[in-house]
C-alpha cells in the first residue's frame, strides 16, 4: 500500500473539513473562520478566508454540484456561501435556534441541508425562492439532548441523527413542495415530516459520535462513546429490524466512520488511527488497521552518543523521547470523509484531527 499523503496545515484542531468535487479546493473549519486551501502540486496553499461567524465554526460541507459551502457555528447561525466571480457571498439562514449549531450536511440532491444543534432539535433548511432566503423546519420529537452528528439517506428524505441521549434515530425530513415523493424503502413508505423510522439505544448509554447510512441506504452504522460500532439492518416499516449487530472493541472510542461498499466500515477516533471492520447481516468484526506501523524512520532510533544519552537521562529521566506516537496523526482523529470513490467503494479517504493534520489515505 502506498504511503498516505500528509499535510500538516497548522497547530490548531481541525473541527471539520470538506473537499470540492474536483478535489482542488479544501475547506477547513479553524476557530471562528473557514480557511479555503487550493491544491498546488502535492501541497495545499491557503487562498481565501471566509469570515462570517463570531464564535467557533463547528462544521462545514461543500455541495459537490453547486459548489456552495454551508457552515455552522457556536454563534447559533448557519451561513450558505455562494461562489461568485468576486469570491464567496454569504447568505444567513433562519435557523431559529437558541443554542450552538453543532453539525451540518447537505442532502445528496443539494436542495436541503440539516443542522444539528444543542437546542435538542435538527433544523432542516431549504431555499424559499419568493423571499430569496434559506428557511428551516424543525425536527424536534423525540430528541431529548444535543445533536452530535447527522447523515443523509441516498433518497435525500430520510435523515439519521446521533445525540448525547445515547440514541441514534432515523427521521423523515420530507418537505412538501421541495421533495418529490420518495420510493418506499425498508425504513418506511409514507413519510410525512418528523416521522420516526427507527430509534436505537446504545447499550452503555454512551454518546453517539457518528452515524452513516450504507451506500444503498439499507443499513445504518453508528459509533458510540463506549468504543462500540452498531450496524442496524431494517426489515420493513414499523417492524423490528432484521438484525442489530454491535461490535464491542477494546480500543478507545471512535469519532467518525464511513462505509466502503456494503461490507466494510472504516472508523477512527481517540486511538489516532483508522480501523477496518468487515461483515454483514450475520456479524461484524474488527479486521485490522489502515496504516502500517513499521514505517521507516519512526521505529529506528538514531545511534545515540554516550554524552547525549546521559544528557537525556539528566534532562528527562529517560533515554528515548517517547512523546511521538507511531501513528501519522499525533492526536484524536475528528473527521473521516470519502476522498475518491469508484461506484460504492471508497478508493481514498481523508482524515483530519486535533493535531492540525489532514491526511489522504489509500484504502
Amino acid at each position: 500500500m502506498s504511503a498516505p499523503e500528509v499535510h500538516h496545515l497548522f497547530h490548531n484542531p481541525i473541527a471539520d473539513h470538506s473537499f470540492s468535487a474536483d478535489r482542488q479546493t479544501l475547506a477547513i473549519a479553524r476557530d471562528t473562520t473557514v480557511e479555503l486551501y487550493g491544491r498546488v502540486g502535492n501541497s495545499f496553499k491557503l487562498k481565501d478566508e471566509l469570515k462570517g461567524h463570531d464564535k467557533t465554526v463547528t462544521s462545514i460541507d461543500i455541495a459537490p454540484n453547486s459548489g456552495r459551502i454551508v457552515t455552522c457555528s457556536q454563534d447559533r447561525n448557519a451561513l450558505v456561501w455562494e461562489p461568485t466571480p468576486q469570491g464567496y457571498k454569504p447568505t444567513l439562514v433562519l435557523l431559529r435556534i437558541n443554542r450552538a449549531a453543532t453539525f451540518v450536511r447537505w442532502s445528496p440532491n443539494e436542495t436541503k441541508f440539516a443542522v444539528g444543534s444543542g437546542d435538542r432539535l435538527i433544523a432542516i433548511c431549504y431555499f424559499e425562492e419568493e423571499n430569496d432566503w434559506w428557511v428551516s423546519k424543525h425536527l424536534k420529537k423525540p430528541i431529548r439532548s444535543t445533536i452530535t452528528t447527522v447523515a443523509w439517506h441516498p433518497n435525500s428524505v430520510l435523515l439519521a441523527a446521533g445525540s448525547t441521549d445515547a440514541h441514534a434515530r432515523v427521521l423523515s425530513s420530507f418537505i412538501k413542495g421541495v421533495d418529490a415523493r420518495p420510493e418506499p424503502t425498508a425504513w418506511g413508505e409514507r413519510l410525512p415530516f418528523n416521522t420516526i423510522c427507527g430509534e436505537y439505544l446504545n447499550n452503555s448509554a454512551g454518546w453517539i459520535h457518528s452515524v452513516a447510512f450504507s451506500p444503498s441506504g439499507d443499513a445504518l452504522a453508528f459509533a458510540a462513546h463506549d468504543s462500540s460500532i452498531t450496524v442496524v439492518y431494517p426489515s420493513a416499516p414499523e417492524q423490528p429490524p432484521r438484525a442489530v449487530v454491535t461490535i464491542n472493541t477494546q480500543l478507545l472510542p471512535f469519532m467518525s466512520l464511513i462505509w466502503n461498499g456494503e461490507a466494510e466500515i472504516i472508523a477512527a477516533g481517540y486511538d489516532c488511527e483508522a480501523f477496518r471492520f468487515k461483515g454483514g447481516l450475520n456479524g461484524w468484526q474488527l479486521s485490522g488497521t489502515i496504516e502500517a506501523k513499521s514505517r521507516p524512520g519512526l521505529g529506528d532510533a538514531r545511534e545515540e552518543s554516550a554524552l547525549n544519552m546521559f544528557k537525556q537521562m539528566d534532562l528527562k529521566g529517560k533515554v528515548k523521547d517517547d512523546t511521538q506516537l507511531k501513528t501519522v496523526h499525533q492526536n484524536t482523529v475528528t473527521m473521516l470523509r470519502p476522498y475518491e470513490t469508484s461506484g460504492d467503494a471508497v478508493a481514498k479517504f481523508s482524515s483530519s484531527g486535533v493535531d492540525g493534520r489532514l491526511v489522504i489515505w489509500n484504502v
Side-chain angles (χ1 to χ4, degrees), residues 14-146:
I14 299 174
D16 198 358
H17 74 277
S18 185
F19 282 95
S20 60
D22 62 4
R23 301 189 284 277
Q24 295 302 302
T25 302
L26 165 65
I28 294 279
R30 178 185 182 180
D31 295 334
T32 59
T33 61
V34 173
E35 296 188 341
L36 295 182
Y37 291 81
R39 172 74 91 164
V40 180
N42 289 331
S43 63
F44 287 100
K45 293 278 184 286
L46 183 63
K47 63 175 189 180
D48 201 0
E49 282 186 307
L50 307 181
K51 296 184 175 178
H53 293 289
D54 56 14
K55 288 201 167 49
T56 304
V57 177
T58 50
S59 190
I60 184 167
D61 201 25
I62 301 180
N65 300 323
S66 65
R68 288 185 183 125
I69 301 174
V70 64
T71 58
C72 70
S73 162
Q74 291 175 2
D75 62 9
R76 310 189 300 277
N77 290 322
L79 295 171
V80 175
W81 303 82
E82 292 270 359
T84 67
Q86 293 77 39
Y88 284 89
K89 183 170 98 18
T91 309
L92 190 66
V93 183
L94 295 176
L95 283 185
R96 300 179 294 117
I97 59 174
N98 56 22
R99 292 288 184 276
T102 53
F103 203 86
V104 65
R105 286 294 180 265
W106 283 104
S107 64
N109 64 10
E110 299 180 21
T111 58
K112 305 181 293 190
F113 56 89
V115 181
S117 76
D119 207 10
R120 304 190 304 189
L121 59 84
I122 304 164
I124 305 296
C125 307
Y126 58 97
F127 193 68
E128 212 173 53
E129 295 283 352
E130 53 267 30
N131 294 317
D132 194 32
W133 60 11
W134 292 86
V135 294
S136 64
K137 277 185 85 170
H138 288 171
L139 291 169
K140 281 186 177 174
K141 291 179 180 174
I143 300 162
R144 301 298 311 143
S145 194
T146 298

Side-chain angles (χ1 to χ4, degrees), residues 252-264:
L252 296 178
F254 304 105
M255 288 297 288
S256 185
L257 59 81
I258 57 172
W259 286 80
N260 177 21
E262 296 285 328
E264 184 174 62

